[in-house]
Amino acid sequence: PPEWVPPAGWRMRAGTVAVCCLLCAASGLPAARSSQGDREPHYRNCVRLCERNNCSGAALRAFGKMQPLHMLATGWRCADDCKYNCMWATVGLYIKEGHKVPQFHGKWPFYRFLFFQEPASAAASILNGLANYVMLNRYRAAVPFQSPMYRTCISFAMVTLNAWVWSTVFHTRDTLLTEKMDYFCASSVVLYSIYLCCVRTLGLTRPWTASLFGALLIVLFGCHVWYLTYVHFDYGYNMAANILIGLINILWWLCWCLWNRARLPYVWKCMIVVGLLNGLALLELLDFPPWLWVFDAHAVWHFSTIPVPFLFYSFLIDDSLHLLDVKRE
C-alpha cells in the first residue's frame, strides 16, 4: 500500500505552526548558564564600568553613529561590545598569570569576524546546509515523485535544512532565542530521522503505524520543548535526551541495514553514515580551547559532517528508486 501522506496544504500549515511554536517557546527560556570567566570579579567590574561609561547618554549616541551597519543589523549592542572586550581583557589576564583559559557564559572565547560570533562553526554550518541543499536537488532530479518514500525524504531534507539555518544563525549571534532554536531544531532532525526509518521499515506496508508513531514523536518533542521552556532548562537533561534518541536512531537504522544487506547491496552507504555519525560525535567530548581563537571541538565536528549528506542522500536515491521499481512490478 502507498505511504499515507497528509494533504500538501495541511503539511505547510503544520510546518508553519511548528516553527512559530518553537520561536515562542525559545523566546521564553531562562538566561544562559554562567562559567568561570563571567563569574570573575575582574570581568564583572570591567563590564559594569564599560556599560556605565559607554552605553548611556552621549556616549551611546556616539556608539550608534560609529557602529557598522552589519553589526547593527545582527543585533550587536553596546553592552555586547562591552562583554566582548572585557572577555578578552580577562583572558589576557589569565594567560599573563599562567592560568588556563576560562569559558564565558558556557562558551570558549572566540575572535569575532565581521558579525560572526563563532566564525568557524558558522562557516561549517553554512557548508553543511549547502551540502544538504545540493543533495536535495540531486534527489529531486533523480527520483520521481511517485516513489513511495519521495515525500518523506523531501520532508526530512527540509527539516535538516531548517536545522542548519538555525545553527548558522546561532553561531553568528548567540542569544537566548537562537541558542534554543539551534538545540530544538537539532533534536527535530534526529526525531525525523527516526520517523524516516519507521516509514521505511514499517510504514510502507502499515501506513497507519507510521502515522501514529509520527504523532507520538511530535507529542514527545512538544513535551520536551515545553519542559525545557516552562519548567526547567536543564542542559544535562537535554543532552541525555538527545543521546537517547540518537542511540535509538542509530540502532534502528543499523539493525535494518544488517537485516537487508544481502538483499539490498546499497545499504552499505547507510551503514557507513551510521558509523561516521557515531564516531564523529566523539569529537564533541574533546572540548578544548579554540585553536587560533577560532576552531574548537564543536567547529571541527561541524566541518567533519559536511561529507555525510552526500553518502546518505546517495543511499536515499538508491533506495527510493528500488522502491519505485518494486511498486511498478
Side-chain angles (χ1 to χ4, degrees):
E3 171 197 4
W4 180 83
V5 181
W10 184 91
R11 292 199 304 276
M12 293 177 64
R13 288 193 294 272
T16 302
V17 170
V19 171
C20 290
C21 289
L22 280 177
L23 286 167
C24 292
S27 63
L29 283 162
R33 55 186 167 176
S34 63
S35 299
Q36 179 181 344
D38 54 270
R39 291 194 297 265
E40 188 67 42
H42 177 82
Y43 172 81
R44 291 177 177 268
N45 291 332
C46 176
V47 171
R48 185 174 65 253
L49 289 173
C50 178
E51 290 182 351
R52 186 177 66 188
N53 296 331
N54 300 298
C55 299
S56 61
L60 180 59
R61 290 191 292 272
F63 171 83
K65 292 178 180 178
M66 295 174 57
Q67 187 182 30
L69 182 60
H70 62 271
M71 298 293 286
L72 176 64
T74 47
W76 287 95
R77 302 170 300 144
C78 177
D80 298 319
D81 267 16
C82 284
K83 291 177 181 177
Y84 178 77
N85 293 324
C86 290
M87 175 187 73
W88 285 114
T90 306
V91 169
L93 186 64
Y94 265 68
I95 294 175
K96 181 180 179 180
E97 295 182 357
H99 300 300
K100 293 182 178 179
V101 175
Q103 291 189 342
F104 295 80
H105 304 287
K107 301 168 74 72
W108 293 110
F110 292 92
Y111 274 143
R112 189 173 63 193
F113 175 70
L114 297 177
F115 50 79
F116 293 102
Q117 190 167 354
E118 299 176 42
S121 291
S125 297
I126 292 171
L127 292 174
N128 272 283
L130 285 174
N132 278 272
Y133 181 72
V134 168
M135 293 309 295
L136 167 61
N137 288 332
R138 190 171 297 177
Y139 181 90
R140 281 174 165 166
V143 179
F145 71 91
Q146 294 90 348
S147 176
M149 288 291 292
Y150 182 87
R151 294 178 180 86
T152 308
C153 291
I154 294 296
S155 297
F156 170 76
M158 295 301 182
V159 171
T160 304
L161 284 173
N162 175 68
W164 285 118
V165 167
W166 280 107
S167 177
T168 302
V169 172
F170 167 60
H171 292 303
T172 299
R173 183 74 175 91
D174 180 1
T175 66
L176 293 178
L177 173 63
T178 60
E179 180 186 29
K180 275 46 180 186
M181 288 300 294
D182 177 49
Y183 286 176
F184 295 155
C185 292
S187 299
S188 72
V189 173
V190 182
L191 287 172
Y192 202 96
S193 179
I194 294 174
Y195 173 70
L196 181 69
C197 189
C198 177
V199 172
R200 182 61 184 91
T201 55
L202 301 173
L204 297 180
T205 55
R206 303 176 183 87
W208 281 104
T209 300
S211 298
L212 291 174
F213 184 73
L216 174 63
L217 290 179
I218 291 173
V219 170
L220 291 175
F221 181 59
C223 292
H224 176 71
V225 171
W226 180 268
Y227 174 78
L228 291 174
T229 304
Y230 297 109
V231 179
H232 173 56
F233 192 89
D234 186 333
Y235 286 90
Y237 157 75
N238 183 62
M239 179 178 291
N242 280 283
I243 290 174
L244 176 61
I245 62 175
L247 286 174
I248 293 172
N249 182 52
I250 287 171
L251 291 175
W252 197 343
W253 275 114
L254 188 59
C255 289
W256 179 82
C257 289
L258 291 173
W259 184 264
N260 291 279
R261 66 187 186 279
R263 186 173 63 90
L264 305 174
Y266 53 82
V267 297
W268 65 268
K269 299 177 182 179
C270 184
M271 294 175 66
I272 290 179
V273 168
V274 170
L276 280 174
L277 291 178
N278 198 31
L280 294 175
L282 297 177
L283 290 172
E284 283 280 72
L285 301 178
L286 299 178
D287 197 29
F288 50 81
W291 300 326
L292 305 176
W293 307 115
V294 174
F295 295 95
D296 69 332
H298 190 72
V300 173
W301 173 57
H302 274 339
F303 275 110
S304 68
T305 60
I306 293 172
V308 172
F310 294 97
L311 194 57
F312 188 61
Y313 280 88
S314 177
F315 157 74
L316 292 178
I317 291 171
D318 290 342
D319 193 51
S320 296
L321 292 176
H322 165 76
L323 291 172
L324 183 61
D325 291 338
V326 172
K327 179 181 177 181
R328 287 170 174 172
E329 289 178 357

